[in-house]
Structure formats: structure tokens, C-alpha cells
Amino acid sequence: MSYFSYLECSKCGKKYSIDEPHNLCECGGPLLVRYDLEKIKKNVDKNVFKTREKGLFRFRELLPIEDEKNIVTLGEGDTPVLKAKDLGERIGLKNLYIKDEGLNPTGTFKARGAAVGLSKAKELGIKTIAMPTAGNAGGAWSAYAAKAGIELVVAMPQDAPDLAKKEAFIYGSKTYLVKGLISDAGKIIAKGVKKYGWFDAATLKEPYRIEGKKTMGLEIAEYFNWEFPDAILYPTGGGVGIIGIWKAFQELKELGWIKDKVPKLIAVQSEGCNPIVKAFNENTEASEFCTNANTIAGGIRVPKALGDFIVLDAIRKSKGTAVEVKDSEIVESLDLLAKTEGLFICPEGATLVAAVNKLFKTGFLKSDEKVVLLNTGSGLKYPNLVEEKLPVIEIDADI
Amino acid sequence: MSYFSYLECSKCGKKYSIDEPHNLCECGGPLLVRYDLEKIKKNVDKNVFKTREKGLFRFRELLPIEDEKNIVTLGEGDTPVLKAKDLGERIGLKNLYIKDEGLNPTGTFKARGAAVGLSKAKELGIKTIAMPTAGNAGGAWSAYAAKAGIELVVAMPQDAPDLAKKEAFIYGSKTYLVKGLISDAGKIIAKGVKKYGWFDAATLKEPYRIEGKKTMGLEIAEYFNWEFPDAILYPTGGGVGIIGIWKAFQELKELGWIKDKVPKLIAVQSEGCNPIVKAFNENTEASEFCTNANTIAGGIRVPKALGDFIVLDAIRKSKGTAVEVKDSEIVESLDLLAKTEGLFICPEGATLVAAVNKLFKTGFLKSDEKVVLLNTGSGLKYPNLVEEKLPVIEIDADI
């Protein structure tokens, strides 16, 4: 089923076995899952994935779950790629697409990481998992932990989206609201992990959620008939999505399934929390901790990502870029996208609409390029961003 | 592409052509779409659907859209069927499944009706559509109307779910909040339709949304390898879902694609609004208007459904039944389902958990029967049903 062969440190290259739980490398670097790609090349036809039951586990050869019975699924993955004709025309792009991750369980792309992360945790016999979260990952991991029968401890900022709090609560996770940012929640969880021996599933401290997010890249490649689009824009907080997509594309190239040059990967952040944009512009290898991080797009309010150096490397090697947008542009974009494309999306995803507009205007993106906006979640999780003003009428009123 | 041949009155049998807009029959009966099933039988292999791009329009031969360019899609349909092992064990059912319609655009099954309804409206050149709604249909039709570039007028109860109001607002529909029930909203819309010549898309006054909902039945049959499960439970308000599923099964039998006896169709309502349950128990052909209708499951707070006689006929002919549950059971079921299956669903869907438990206890359902709960939407649209109580901690706290 899986061609998973070992874990490898993204910094020093040290290898780890696949049979026991691992977090970071001794050197502090995140571990990446490696597969026997030579064997997959020999044994697997890329057209087989389409013939299987829908959902991300149809890419099982490129995922780390060894026994099918450990799969924990709520129907995640295989989200639609929609042609955004009207929006594209307004901007000037003939081939603009939106991949809508809002149609995942719990309403965000976080379901992908949770599905693979919890499946592998079940396979490894892990009993309790702990994680800090901006909100949506906590919601997603709570759902999958409930399904898997694994205990989950979550810490999230007190001002996390209400719905993420409600999710963690109703799914039965042990949940704490922290008077601070995700970085503060991370410190609290790290202490708990040390004290109680919980498995730490913080972003990139756990090697498997990248694999779940990688399937976004596999789906995009398959959607374009195993060719690459020209550019992918991604709202970047912890950056695991962009790392996952980059990893998918590397694997596809090594497998010889795609020979094109990889798409330009474009990290989009908010002006109020822009460490990757800054590091990209200043040409540094890693980012600086962003003080006073503040944006309405809470999912990308990550002051310093553990995998920042991988994100920056992926952007540069793919000839991409990093762009920041204002919160006011996010709000305008939310409205524009709803009215032109019938999509009510999350504020993180809405950053992409403002960003793609800028990149077309500067000439970085050309009118006939195939451009994919990766919307990470549904607007249903952010009801506070819409203030409806509607007339109230009597039952015998005429309209 | 489509084998659509005519519209037929469900009461008197009168036929109508497919080339212009129609609402009800002269006799007041809802119109149903009829296909050239003989030709489909000759020309179409049922296994072809699986090979097509995912989404409900892969069943295009059995849908009324004639020209592909009129399709308005946001990626609806092909929702997962999940085995509810833990919940099944608690109840005593070995083969309990949940089809999760919450993964549709706008978070409910209403997206299916809207996708087909708006596509057909575009094909017929309709400029303005008007509809009353309990809330979620208004949200869904607003999204698809925005995508289609068709004007939509919506009237919904003032106490409709906040998110449905926000959806109608952000998608740009002309929306009115009525100090009453969906039946009152219906009267207001009917007056507007008469005055302005809008196309009336009220439940069953518009013949195409049934066809969208029918695809739930097609997907269920395909999921079970073109066999039928033993029973399907459905939260019943306007009843279009149950009518659509029943229609799908009739067409599959006429096509000879399935020879089994059809599943028992089970309508589930709330004690506070139970017209179908009452009519079923009293053995009447149609239901009585339910006065003082009241339940937390707003989507099934429909005092009198236009298609009640079709729903009752489907339940009886399929050897199904009708069950009512208490609001308190809905709340308990929501919690149970989240904690056992990792699903946070809508209150309408939660009625099914209480109902299936009752039907197993009375012996109506047997332990080895294949039973499908059709959850109509996501809990994300009902944040008020979860009151989270979570500890707030300082940034230097120990847990």
C-alpha cells in the first residue's frame, strides 16, 4: 500500500525509522517523509488514482499509512478546482482557477493534515496528542481525534474564531484558551508535552500533516492532466501547505510523472504579519519573529514559522515571490469573490484575490498564464466578517 | 448530453414542453421532469459515471441541462458516505452509514437543487428568480445566482439562521426578513411574482431542484455498487430530498440498472412540526397545516409541504415509516455524533440519530440491515447550538 521508507531531517539529512513516533531531529530540524520513489515508478501507473474511491487516501502509495485499517477519514480531499471566469476577466487573467478547500470536513484544508496525522498516530499506537493552533487546525484535529478515539489536548489564542472553539469543545478535546498568540500557545503545549509525555503535533514538529497537505499538490497536478499550472498563490502562516505542495511537485518530478518546470509558488501574507514577505525581500534564509502581529486573517497570524527556511527555499527555487496585502483589501476581496464567483471564503483565502491583482498589475503574472488560488477555507467559519443589513417586513407586506 | 424529454404533472399527468419556463400545472400539481429512459437504457452504461470528473453533473444524461455551457457549478455533489462504526455499535446496527451533505458548497444539500435550478434557469434565459426559504436554500440559491449572474429575490423568516442571512447578503441577493414562518414568506413572494413577473422558485413550484436532489439517490445506489441499502432516513421539511431520492430509485428500476426492492424511506420530523408523521399515522393522503410550528431544526419547520402527498406515497410504497423526535433528543444527538464519529452536523441531520435509535428498539430496523442517515448539512451553520465552556489561561500557565 504505502511506499514509505524513512524520515529524513530537512536540515542535517539524518534518517529516522518509520516504526516509532518522532518529532523534530536532534538538530532541531523538521523531519520529512521519504518514499521509495524508484519502486513506485516501476509499480504504479499515475492514472490509477482516478479510478479509486474519491478522497485523499486514493494517493495511498505516496502517503505514510501502512495498513488500510488505520485510516481515519471523514471524506476529506478532492476539493473542486473552479474556473473563476468573471473574476479573471476583471483582473485581466484568462485562466484563473480557485481550488476551494472550504469543502473539506470542518470547512478548511486543515482536515487533510489531520486525516493523515491522526491515521498515522493510530498506526503508531499514540494515545494522547497535544497541539497549539490558531484555531482551525484545532477544530480539524479534534474531529479526527474523536473519530480515531485518540485523546487530544489543544491550546489556542483566546481570540481564535468562535467556531474553532466550538468545534474543539463539541468534539470533546481538552481545550485551553490562551491570552496570547499561537506562539504563546506553543510554549504552553511544549511544557505539557515534557511533563506528561503527550505526542507533540505542533506544526512541523509532527512529520505527517505535511503529507496530508501534499495531496493538494497531487490533486492540482492531476486536475491539469499531469501538467503544472504556471503559478499557485497560497496564504502563508505556518507554511505547511506551501511546503506540502512543493514536496508533492518534487516527488512528481522524481517519479518522472511530470517534466514541466514547477509552478511559481507565491506566498501571500497580511501587512500586519509579514515575516516571510520581509525575509524574501531582504533575501535572508529564514524569517525574523514578527512583533505585534495583527490581522483579521487569524490563520496567517504566525509571527515566526518553524519551517520558514523551507518555505523561502520553495518560493525562490520555483521562481515565485511573496506578497503582502492590507486587511481592508481582504474585506473588499471577500465581497468581490462572493458577488462574482458565488464563493464565500475565509479571510486567509481572500488575501489571494488582492495579491493576484497586484501581481498582474506589476507584470509578474501574464494574462494567459494558468494561475491557481488556493483558498484554504470556508467563510462559514468567519460569520463576524459579514455584517448583514436586511429589511425586516410584516407577514402581510408587499415587496 | 441530456435525455430530458418533457415535464409531467404529478397530479393529473398533463405534459408540458421543455423549452420554456414552467411552474405548477394548471391543476395546481407540481411538475416532474421525465426522460427518455428507453434511449438511456440503450445508449448509456451505468459504469460511465464513475469515470467522469467528480460532482453531480457527471449524471448529465439524467439531468435536465441540454447544453453543457449553461452548467453553473461550485463543486457540489459526490459527498462522502461514511461508515459510522462506533455510533452503529452503540445503537446495535452493524451497517450504519452517514452520507454527509455538509461538504457541499454553502454547507448543505441545498446546493444540489440550486446548481441544477440555476443552470436550467440560465438555459431558459430567466433574468430574475424569487423564492421563500427557511434559510439554507436562500443561502445556496444566492451563491449560485451570483455565479450565474441571475438576479435573486429571497424572503426568509426573521429568525432564520444568521449564516443563511449573511450568505444571502454577501452574495448580493435582494433579501427580506419576514416576521413569520416560511409559509408567510411564501405568500409575500407569490405576490411579488404576480406583480413583477419574476420566476417563482419556491419548493416544487420550480421543477428542477428535485433533479439536483435526485443525485443523492444516484450516488447512494452507485456507492453500494448499484444495489440498494435497506433503509434511508431523511429529515423532512418540504420533502424535496425524499421525493428526489424516490424519483432516482424509480428511474434506476425503469432503466433496469437495479433490480432490488427499493430501500425503506423514513421521514423524520420534530415533535414541534410533524405534519407528515401525523398524516402517515392517520393514514391520510395529504398532511394538515401544522399550527404553532416550533423546533430548533429550522430547516424542517415547514407547516405544510406542497409535495406532502408525494412524500407520503413514497414512504408507503417503499414500506418506510415516519418518526418524530424531541428537540432535546436533537441536542443530545448532535453531541453524541460529534464525540463518536467526529461529525458536527446540523440539527435537522441530528434528528436521524435519535430516530434510528428508536426504530432499532421497536424492531423496525434489524441489526444487519444497511441503514443510511442522510445528514443534510454542516453544524458550522448553527454555531448557536454549541455553548462552549473553556478555561482561559495566562501565557505563562502550566497545564
Side-chain angles (χ1 to χ4, degrees):
Chain A
M1 175 178 178
S2 173
Y3 286 77
F4 180 14
S5 81
Y6 56 89
L7 292 164
E8 184 181 49
C9 177
S10 56
K11 277 197 167 148
C12 74
K14 185 173 162 133
K15 292 179 184 177
Y16 291 84
S17 91
I18 60 174
D19 302 326
E20 66 257 14
H22 289 291
N23 290 114
L24 295 177
C25 177
E26 290 165 6
C27 83
L31 301 180
L32 297 175
V33 179
R34 298 301 180 199
Y35 300 85
D36 189 339
L37 297 175
E38 280 308 310
K39 231 188 213 166
I40 296 179
K41 205 168 173 172
K42 253 184 242 157
N43 298 348
V44 181
D45 175 350
K46 66 181 184 293
N47 295 310
V48 76
F49 303 120
K50 256 197 177 157
T51 66
R52 295 177 179 163
E53 201 188 324
K54 95 174 239 302
L56 64 80
F57 287 103
R58 63 193 179 86
F59 297 106
R60 58 181 87 107
E61 287 87 350
L62 285 160
L63 290 173
I65 317 306
E66 298 186 89
D67 187 340
E68 204 175 342
K69 78 174 196 301
N70 293 317
I71 286 178
V72 182
T73 180
L74 296 171
E76 58 294 324
D78 276 333
T79 54
V81 178
L82 304 167
K83 180 116 195 221
K85 196 170 156 282
D86 286 2
L87 183 68
E89 276 172 14
R90 271 168 191 255
I91 293 171
L93 289 165
K94 288 181 202 141
N95 297 295
L96 182 64
Y97 299 86
I98 298 171
K99 185 162 174 72
D100 188 8
E101 290 291 304
L103 300 195
N104 275 305
T106 73
T108 77
F109 77 123
K110 298 284 185 184
R112 294 183 188 261
V116 175
L118 261 305
S119 296
K120 194 64 195 175
K122 191 175 168 192
E123 189 152 272
L124 291 168
I126 290 167
K127 301 290 175 226
T128 305
I129 296 175
M131 68 189 309
T133 171
N136 283 324
W141 283 67
S142 294
Y144 287 85
K147 176 85 178 175
I150 291 175
E151 193 185 27
L152 184 66
V153 182
V154 167
M156 63 174 81
Q158 190 181 5
D159 63 355
D162 277 353
L163 270 159
K165 294 178 201 170
K166 287 173 191 288
E167 284 179 320
F169 180 77
I170 196 170
Y171 291 127
S173 295
K174 202 166 175 182
T175 308
Y176 298 92
L177 303 179
V178 183
K179 293 183 180 170
L181 300 179
I182 186 172
S183 38
D184 302 306
K187 285 175 204 153
I188 289 170
I189 289 293
K191 284 192 286 178
V193 162
K194 217 168 167 185
K195 191 161 154 192
Y196 302 108
W198 301 328
F199 182 71
D200 192 342
T203 304
L204 289 175
K205 287 192 186 170
E206 185 277 342
Y208 304 107
R209 77 158 93 173
I210 297 181
E211 299 303 302
K213 296 197 179 166
K214 182 178 83 177
T215 58
M216 293 189 287
L218 300 176
E219 289 173 19
I220 289 171
E222 190 193 52
Y223 177 83
F224 289 102
N225 291 314
W226 303 104
E227 292 183 5
F228 286 131
D230 297 292
I232 298 175
L233 283 83
Y234 192 85
T236 307
V240 178
I242 223 165
I243 298 172
I245 291 170
W246 173 246
K247 187 167 185 284
F249 293 168
Q250 298 309 310
E251 289 173 0
L252 291 174
K253 288 193 76 90
E254 277 191 57
L255 285 164
W257 289 355
I258 306 195
K259 294 188 175 58
D260 306 356
K261 67 178 196 329
V262 296
K264 292 175 269 202
L265 294 177
I266 299 163
V268 182
Q269 298 198 301
S270 162
E271 279 188 4
C273 185
N274 59 357
I276 298 289
V277 176
K278 253 180 114 184
F280 180 79
N281 290 338
E282 291 167 4
N283 215 15
T284 57
E285 262 180 54
S287 65
E288 298 278 322
F289 188 95
C290 172
T291 48
N292 302 319
N294 182 29
T295 165
I296 56 165
I300 54 173
R301 196 183 55 178
V302 179
K304 160 89 178 161
L306 189 58
D308 55 357
F309 67 101
I310 315 178
V311 173
L312 287 159
D313 188 51
I315 297 172
R316 288 176 181 131
K317 285 205 177 122
S318 69
K319 312 226 180 298
T321 187
V323 185
E324 62 189 23
V325 304
K326 291 183 208 306
D327 273 9
S328 60
E329 291 174 310
I330 295 176
V331 175
E332 285 163 22
S333 297
L334 272 176
D335 193 65
L336 178 65
L337 199 55
K339 292 190 172 62
T340 53
E341 296 297 331
L343 293 171
F344 172 33
I345 68 169
C346 64
E348 294 80 11
T351 62
L352 308 181
V353 178
V356 78
N357 200 18
K358 284 181 195 196
L359 291 173
F360 177 71
K361 281 190 180 146
T362 63
F364 187 88
L365 294 174
K366 308 274 179 283
S367 69
D368 55 353
E369 285 189 311
K370 282 184 189 152
V371 178
V372 178
L373 307 183
L374 214 151
N375 171 48
T376 48
S378 168
L380 293 176
K381 297 196 89 166
Y382 299 87
N384 300 339
L385 293 182
V386 183
E387 282 178 54
E388 75 280 15
K389 288 174 207 91
L390 298 172
V392 178
I393 59 175
E394 300 294 331
I395 58 168
D396 57 356
D398 287 310
I399 52 176
Chain B
M1 173 174 179
S2 172
Y3 286 78
F4 180 14
S5 79
Y6 57 87
L7 291 165
E8 183 180 49
C9 176
S10 57
K11 277 198 167 148
C12 75
K14 184 172 164 139
K15 293 180 185 176
Y16 291 84
S17 91
I18 61 175
D19 302 326
E20 66 257 17
H22 288 291
N23 290 113
L24 295 177
C25 177
E26 289 166 5
C27 82
L31 301 181
L32 297 175
V33 179
R34 299 300 179 198
Y35 299 85
D36 189 339
L37 296 176
E38 279 308 310
K39 233 189 213 164
I40 296 179
K41 204 168 173 173
K42 254 184 241 157
N43 298 348
V44 181
D45 175 350
K46 66 180 182 293
N47 295 309
V48 76
F49 303 121
K50 255 196 178 157
T51 67
R52 295 178 180 162
E53 201 188 327
K54 96 174 240 300
L56 65 79
F57 286 105
R58 65 194 178 86
F59 297 107
R60 55 182 164 257
E61 288 87 350
L62 285 160
L63 290 173
I65 318 305
E66 298 185 89
D67 187 341
E68 204 175 340
K69 77 172 199 300
N70 293 317
I71 286 177
V72 182
T73 180
L74 296 170
E76 59 294 325
D78 275 334
T79 54
V81 177
L82 305 166
K83 179 115 196 220
K85 196 170 155 284
D86 287 2
L87 183 68
E89 275 171 16
R90 272 169 190 254
I91 293 170
L93 289 165
K94 288 179 201 143
N95 297 295
L96 182 63
Y97 298 85
I98 298 171
K99 185 163 175 71
D100 187 7
E101 290 291 304
L103 299 194
N104 275 304
T106 74
T108 77
F109 77 123
K110 298 285 184 185
R112 294 183 187 260
V116 175
L118 261 305
S119 296
K120 195 62 197 177
K122 191 175 166 190
E123 189 153 270
L124 292 169
I126 290 167
K127 300 291 175 226
T128 306
I129 295 175
M131 68 188 310
T133 171
N136 283 325
W141 283 67
S142 294
Y144 287 85
K147 177 84 177 174
I150 290 176
E151 193 184 29
L152 184 67
V153 182
V154 167
M156 62 174 83
Q158 191 181 5
D159 64 354
D162 276 353
L163 270 160
K165 294 179 201 168
K166 287 173 191 287
E167 285 179 321
F169 180 77
I170 196 169
Y171 290 127
S173 294
K174 200 165 176 184
T175 308
Y176 298 92
L177 303 179
V178 182
K179 293 182 180 171
L181 300 179
I182 186 174
S183 38
D184 302 307
K187 284 177 206 154
I188 289 169
I189 289 294
K191 283 193 286 180
V193 162
K194 216 168 166 185
K195 190 162 154 191
Y196 302 107
W198 300 329
F199 182 70
D200 192 341
T203 304
L204 289 175
K205 288 192 185 167
E206 185 276 341
Y208 304 107
R209 77 158 92 174
I210 298 181
E211 298 303 302
K213 297 198 179 165
K214 181 179 84 177
T215 58
M216 294 189 287
L218 300 176
E219 289 174 18
I220 290 171
E222 190 193 52
Y223 177 83
F224 289 102
N225 291 314
W226 302 104
E227 292 184 3
F228 286 131
D230 296 293
I232 299 174
L233 283 83
Y234 193 86
T236 306
V240 179
I242 222 165
I243 297 172
I245 291 171
W246 173 246
K247 186 167 185 286
F249 292 169
Q250 297 310 311
E251 290 173 1
L252 291 174
K253 288 194 76 91
E254 277 190 58
L255 286 164
W257 290 354
I258 307 195
K259 293 188 174 61
D260 306 356
K261 68 180 195 329
V262 296
K264 291 175 270 201
L265 294 177
I266 299 163
V268 181
Q269 299 199 302
S270 163
E271 278 188 6
C273 185
N274 59 357
I276 298 288
V277 176
K278 254 180 113 186
F280 180 79
N281 290 338
E282 292 168 3
N283 215 15
T284 56
E285 262 180 55
S287 66
E288 296 280 321
F289 188 94
C290 172
T291 49
N292 301 320
N294 183 29
T295 165
I296 57 166
I300 54 173
R301 195 182 57 177
V302 179
K304 160 87 178 162
L306 189 58
D308 55 358
F309 67 100
I310 315 178
V311 173
L312 287 159
D313 187 52
I315 298 172
R316 287 177 182 133
K317 285 205 178 122
S318 70
K319 311 228 180 297
T321 187
V323 186
E324 62 188 23
V325 305
K326 290 183 210 304
D327 273 10
S328 60
E329 291 175 310
I330 295 176
V331 175
E332 285 163 24
S333 296
L334 273 175
D335 194 65
L336 177 66
L337 199 56
K339 292 190 171 62
T340 54
E341 296 297 332
L343 294 171
F344 171 33
I345 69 168
C346 64
E348 294 80 11
T351 61
L352 308 181
V353 177
V356 78
N357 201 18
K358 285 181 196 199
L359 291 173
F360 176 71
K361 281 190 182 147
T362 62
F364 186 87
L365 295 174
K366 308 274 179 283
S367 69
D368 55 353
E369 285 188 312
K370 284 185 189 149
V371 178
V372 178
L373 308 183
L374 214 151
N375 170 47
T376 47
S378 168
L380 294 176
K381 298 197 88 165
Y382 300 87
N384 300 338
L385 293 182
V386 184
E387 281 178 55
E388 75 280 15
K389 288 175 207 89
L390 299 172
V392 178
I393 59 175
E394 301 293 332
I395 58 169
D396 57 357
D398 287 311
I399 53 175

